[in-house]
């Protein structure tokens, strides 16, 4: 029995956290059967971070470690055809997305222009969450941004970083429809987790405006959303 533990859905996406959505997308692309438990409290997770999986009693945290575990255990063929250069690009992309994560998270939780919309949508969608819970989470995240470093930049400096990440990703998208051609790979699941968590939210942050203005990113998001939601059964 395979269970994915991750944050709850928002705006129709299966997970409002990019790392959780990345694992969800990977599982769907591979056609693996799993149950999905949405939780708010990350205390039980390895290192106190979501997502994590329980695979027949084996508990694994960190989205990349989860993906590596699934590929090895279920002998998944999704990335078997990647060249060494594509594998390197996959690695670099995942690390770049780790940087984009902070900008995306900052835009929702920290930037006073977008926080009220995000907060109100969580309250509207998840009745068990209170305004006080969210204020507490916002304060906690504010400290995370400070200690990570992003919280010490002015907002323009924060978005400059994130927009450079999105521009780099846009420049990699060729004829497509996916990063490495005609079918999605693990790297696409990773990119989707982040892009969809920006673009599918009707909150016009600089990141979302950038995606909306770039045809190749919009097209890529749509192709990945279709692939993830229709379950192609790659694996
Ligand atoms: N390296 C981890 C990062 C996961 C991550 O950053 N999770 C965040 C989502 S907001 C989390 O659970 N944060 C709670 C915390 O750090 O206390 C992965 O790839 O899964």
């Amino acid at each position: 029995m395979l269970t994915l533990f991750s944050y709850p859905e928002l705006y129709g996406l299966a997970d409002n956290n990019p790392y959780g959505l990345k694992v969800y997308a990977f599982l769907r692309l591979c056609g693996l059967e799993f149950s999905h438990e949405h939780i708010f409290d990350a205390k039980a997770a390895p290192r106190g971070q979501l997502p994590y999986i329980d695979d027949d009693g084996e508990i694994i945290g960190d989205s990349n470690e989860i993906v590596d575990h699934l590929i090895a255990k279920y002998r998944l063929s999704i990335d078997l055809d990647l060249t060494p250069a594509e594998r390197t690009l996959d690695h670099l992309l995942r690390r770049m997305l780790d940087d984009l994560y902070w900008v995306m998270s900052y835009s929702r939780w920290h930037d006073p222009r977008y926080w009220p919309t995000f907060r109100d949508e969580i309250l509207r969608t998840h009745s068990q969450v209170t305004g006080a819970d969210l204020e507490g989470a916002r304060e906690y995240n504010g400290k995370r941004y400070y200690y990570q470093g992003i919280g010490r930049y002015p907002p323009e400096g924060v978005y400059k970083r994130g927009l450079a990440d999105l521009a780099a990703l846009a420049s990699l998208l060729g004829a497509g429809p996916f990063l490495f051609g005609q079918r999605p790979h693990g790297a696409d699941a990773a990119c989707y987790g982040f892009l969809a968590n920006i673009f599918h939210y009707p909150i016009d942050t600089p990141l979302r405006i950038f995606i909306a203005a770039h045809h190749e990113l919009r097209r890529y998001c749509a192709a990945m959303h279709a692939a993830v939601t229709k379950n192609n059964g790659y694996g």
Side-chain angles (χ1 to χ4, degrees):
M1 169 82 171
L2 176 60
T3 307
L4 168 63
F5 292 87
S6 72
Y7 284 110
E9 61 96 22
L10 205 66
Y11 289 120
L13 283 182
D15 193 316
N16 81 75
N17 178 267
Y19 293 105
L21 191 64
K22 160 180 162 181
V23 174
Y24 173 86
F26 183 84
L27 287 161
R28 297 276 301 182
L29 292 178
C30 292
L32 284 176
E33 241 179 77
F34 67 103
S35 63
H36 198 170
E37 296 277 335
H38 293 287
I39 56 178
F40 278 103
D41 191 345
K43 271 197 215 81
R47 294 174 292 276
Q49 289 198 316
L50 295 177
Y52 73 97
I53 57 163
D54 180 338
D55 190 3
D56 272 331
E58 212 177 335
I59 307 293
I60 296 152
D62 186 283
S63 56
N64 292 330
E65 286 183 23
I66 294 170
V67 164
D68 289 346
H69 162 87
L70 295 172
I71 288 177
K73 177 162 176 182
Y74 298 100
R75 296 169 185 273
L76 302 175
S77 61
I78 186 166
D79 284 346
L80 266 187
D81 61 338
L82 293 183
T83 65
E86 287 169 340
R87 283 178 200 282
T88 301
L89 189 57
D90 171 315
H91 173 83
L92 295 175
L93 267 173
R94 287 169 200 267
R95 292 294 187 259
M96 184 201 74
L97 293 170
D98 283 340
D99 201 83
L100 180 60
Y101 163 77
W102 290 102
V103 182
M104 192 219 73
S105 181
Y106 172 104
S107 72
R108 296 172 172 187
W109 288 96
H110 202 64
D111 192 323
R113 291 172 292 177
Y114 313 120
W115 155 247
T117 312
F118 176 64
R119 175 197 59 207
D120 293 349
E121 185 63 10
I122 296 192
L123 292 174
R124 197 185 63 75
T125 315
H126 301 290
S127 56
Q128 73 275 37
V129 181
T130 67
D133 293 335
L134 291 180
E135 287 300 337
R138 183 174 195 233
E139 199 181 316
Y140 173 72
N141 279 329
K143 289 183 186 146
R144 293 173 71 224
Y145 306 141
Y146 181 80
Y147 289 117
Q148 190 271 345
I150 200 94
R152 303 171 205 206
Y153 287 71
E156 320 81 79
V158 173
Y159 293 114
K160 190 175 165 200
R161 290 184 70 88
L163 295 178
D165 291 339
L166 290 176
L169 181 53
S171 76
L172 286 178
L173 297 172
F178 303 106
L179 272 170
F180 303 124
Q182 289 302 309
R183 69 169 185 87
H185 289 78
D188 292 293
C191 291
Y192 170 75
F194 290 77
L195 290 181
N197 255 297
I198 295 167
F199 190 56
H200 281 248
Y201 285 31
I203 305 178
D204 275 333
T205 66
L207 300 178
R208 182 170 194 262
I209 290 170
F210 187 94
I211 296 177
H214 286 77
H215 165 74
E216 63 281 36
L217 287 171
R218 278 201 327 268
R219 173 191 57 69
Y220 178 67
C221 271
M224 273 307 295
H225 193 64
V228 167
T229 49
K230 86 168 180 236
N231 191 357
N232 287 315
Y234 296 119

